[in-house]
Amino acid sequence: MTDAGDARRFTRRRLLWTASAFTTGVAITGPGSGADDDDTGEHGAIRWSETYDRPGQYVECNAIATAEDGYYLAGETGYRSGTSHGWVHRVDESGGVNWEFIDNRPGDEAPLHEISAAPGGGCVAVGDVTTHLTDESNVTAVSLGQEGEFGWAAEFGRHWHVSISTLSSTEDGYVIGAYARSYATQGTRILLLSIDSEGTQRWIRTLGEENAINVCRAVLPVDDGYLVAGSTDREDDSRILLVRTDEQGRHQWDTTYDVEGAYSLAHAIIPTEDGGYLLGGRTGSSTHIFRAVVIKVDATGDEQWRWVNTVESACHDLVTRPSGGCVLAGRRLEDGWLAALNGNGELIGSESYRGNGESTLESLVSTDEGYVAGGRTAEFDSNDTRAWLLSVSPIAEPGADPIEPEYSVSEQEDDSLPGFSSGAAVLGLSAGYVLSRRFRGGQADRSRRSTGREE
């Protein structure tokens, strides 16, 4: 059923990485070039950087989680012309591989999208498994021990096509979020699933109108229930969606946020010290070019401020900053990207990181030294995608001043949309343009439209 693999099945590479520092404008080199691994004192300086691949296959890292003295990585691996399998790495504090696990259960596509450390050691990862012959797709979960040994695996589904699974730990198990397309109505509904620590299903809910498109990309346990973040699409008008449920996954309320762009989606949600929440994602006027979005809301979903980047970018994950605000991970143009916002929603630090080609960061965790981000990078003119793990120093100091708008020539296509590029390389000193607007009361979309029936 599974294959724990060995050290011969993959290679670990140290490559030269450069950071295009918006705040400093200097090139920062990683360990592969002989740079010292200690913190250099530069904001966003690379402490170490590692990539992971398998001979003849692609590897993508979709999520990371903190483990004792290291990290868990989850994603997928396979051949571009064949099947894909779930992929898990356990690495030490400097990215060195402890063990590798490949999930070889039957299925044409079986990526893992999220991972969490288990309370007693080991980890649990979730994803989806698809068989093209029947076009069936279900939620899948797998449990591994501290040494990568197989624990249990389970599939959960309905007569729908399930896509993307997210995972959050609870006191006595896990809650899984996904979205599924109905074969009968072709609508897309949110799927919320509770399991115990052994993978046994407790309950399953679907949320959303049958003919609408409702997407879940993040689930956050809160007092006596859950918050679900994603998007809702009615008549080609996609808005960021926030849903509140009770502890059994039953709908309580929902609200949407209309951002500048017809294609808006929240990828992450985190709590803040004042009892509110931050939603991170992206928006765009086309299905190919997006801008990063962060929205601050209170405990009832009322919007307090939002920040929208004007440079082509996306926010895939968020963590809070000790001094307020957040650090986000994602991509900017064709580079992996980390940026810091203060508690007022102002951009105070921004760093781009590049491998041998197009790169993105999908997941982010805080450390004592700064941050560790996971993602992927692909060489130019190649499908040779590698998983990527990056450790950096803090992005901005407490109380840092907002960054002034500044653009490189290569990023500015016209005067109407500064910095908005279809993917030109970053040249020289550059900075993200800050658009920080504050919304109070009725200015946000507070319609609290119900997402519809639940089952």
Side-chain angles (χ1 to χ4, degrees):
M1 177 177 291
T2 55
D3 177 9
D6 57 45
R8 293 169 296 178
R9 295 179 180 270
F10 62 88
T11 57
R12 172 192 179 203
R13 304 188 181 188
R14 287 175 174 258
L15 300 176
L16 173 64
W17 303 87
T18 59
S20 175
F22 294 180
T23 53
T24 61
V26 298
I28 306 169
T29 57
S33 63
D36 189 81
D37 281 3
D38 295 333
D39 189 352
T40 65
E42 296 282 357
H43 295 306
I46 296 174
R47 302 184 68 251
W48 50 261
S49 177
E50 298 288 350
T51 60
Y52 311 92
D53 61 9
R54 292 170 61 86
Q57 300 184 39
Y58 71 91
V59 182
E60 296 182 355
C61 175
N62 297 323
I64 61 174
T66 302
E68 184 178 358
D69 300 325
Y71 307 94
Y72 293 112
L73 287 66
E76 64 180 291
T77 185
Y79 300 96
R80 293 296 181 186
S81 59
T83 60
S84 66
H85 300 284
W87 171 87
V88 177
H89 256 31
R90 171 66 156 87
V91 303
D92 61 25
E93 291 179 312
S94 60
V97 178
N98 296 138
W99 49 258
E100 179 188 55
F101 177 90
I102 305 299
D103 187 351
N104 283 325
R105 283 178 291 165
D108 297 318
E109 296 180 17
L112 295 172
H113 303 296
E114 191 60 79
I115 193 165
S116 177
C123 61
V124 172
V126 298
D128 54 72
V129 57
T130 302
T131 302
H132 290 162
L133 183 62
T134 60
D135 199 30
E136 292 181 353
S137 179
N138 296 323
V139 172
T140 182
V142 60
S143 171
L144 304 176
Q146 295 187 32
E147 302 301 321
E149 69 273 19
F150 175 78
W152 51 260
E155 288 187 22
F156 315 91
R158 295 191 166 186
H159 300 296
W160 292 358
H161 188 92
V162 179
S163 300
I164 304 292
S165 294
T166 185
L167 177 74
S168 289
S169 299
T170 61
E171 290 185 358
D172 54 358
Y174 304 90
V175 62
I176 301 171
Y179 58 95
R181 187 181 74 246
S182 169
Y183 293 118
T185 67
Q186 297 301 305
T188 300
R189 305 182 71 182
I190 292 170
L191 189 69
L192 206 57
L193 169 69
S194 174
I195 64 175
D196 64 20
S197 59
E198 299 299 320
T200 302
Q201 178 180 314
R202 288 173 170 149
W203 49 257
I204 187 170
R205 302 280 181 193
T206 53
L207 304 169
E209 298 175 4
E210 290 187 353
N211 297 319
I213 298 175
N214 297 286
V215 172
C216 166
R217 293 301 294 266
V219 176
L220 177 69
V222 294
D223 292 338
D224 300 322
Y226 304 97
L227 284 173
V228 179
S231 72
T232 183
D233 191 336
R234 294 172 175 84
E235 298 178 355
D236 297 324
D237 180 19
S238 178
R239 299 185 179 190
I240 289 176
L241 172 68
L242 182 64
V243 181
R244 177 67 153 85
T245 76
D246 65 15
E247 59 187 358
Q248 296 295 314
R250 292 182 289 254
H251 175 275
Q252 291 184 322
W253 56 258
D254 65 85
T255 187
T256 62
Y257 308 93
D258 189 8
V259 192
E260 303 94 330
Y263 302 92
S264 300
L265 173 67
H267 286 273
I269 179 171
I270 56 174
T272 56
E273 289 187 355
D274 62 1
Y277 306 94
L278 287 169
L279 292 86
R282 46 78 167 166
T283 189
S285 57
S286 77
T287 57
H288 302 290
I289 301 176
F290 298 104
R291 295 169 291 158
V293 175
V294 177
I295 299 176
K296 172 68 167 66
V297 302
D298 64 16
T300 60
D302 288 312
E303 183 173 335
Q304 297 178 312
W305 55 255
R306 71 174 61 177
W307 173 80
V308 183
N309 202 9
T310 57
V311 178
E312 181 185 348
S313 54
C315 169
H316 295 146
D317 202 4
L318 292 168
V319 296
T320 56
R321 297 177 66 243
S323 56
C326 65
V327 171
L328 61 92
R331 68 168 181 84
R332 181 183 185 276
L333 302 177
E334 294 183 346
D335 297 334
W337 182 49
L338 298 177
L341 303 181
N342 64 19
N344 296 320
E346 299 167 316
L347 184 69
I348 56 174
S350 186
E351 305 286 348
S352 291
Y353 305 90
R354 167 162 292 198
N356 285 352
E358 184 175 351
S359 307
T360 187
L361 296 173
E362 297 284 348
S363 187
L364 183 67
V365 296
S366 299
T367 69
D368 293 337
E369 298 81 18
Y371 305 95
V372 170
R376 61 184 182 271
T377 182
E379 293 183 352
F380 291 119
D381 301 322
S382 171
N383 288 326
D384 184 18
T385 304
R386 302 187 183 104
W388 177 23
L389 198 62
L390 178 72
S391 173
V392 303
S393 61
I395 302 301
E397 63 184 14
D401 292 330
I403 298 174
E404 293 296 327
E406 192 170 41
Y407 316 100
S408 67
V409 174
S410 66
E411 291 174 327
Q412 187 152 353
E413 292 187 338
D414 56 58
D415 294 333
S416 63
L417 194 57
F420 199 76
S421 168
S422 60
V426 178
L427 298 177
L429 181 64
S430 59
Y433 180 80
V434 180
L435 178 59
S436 177
R437 301 188 304 169
R438 289 151 180 76
F439 287 73
R440 309 203 189 285
Q443 287 180 284
D445 180 353
R446 305 296 303 129
S447 61
R448 295 221 190 280
R449 295 182 293 176
S450 171
T451 54
R453 298 188 307 169
E454 58 183 62
E455 298 177 356

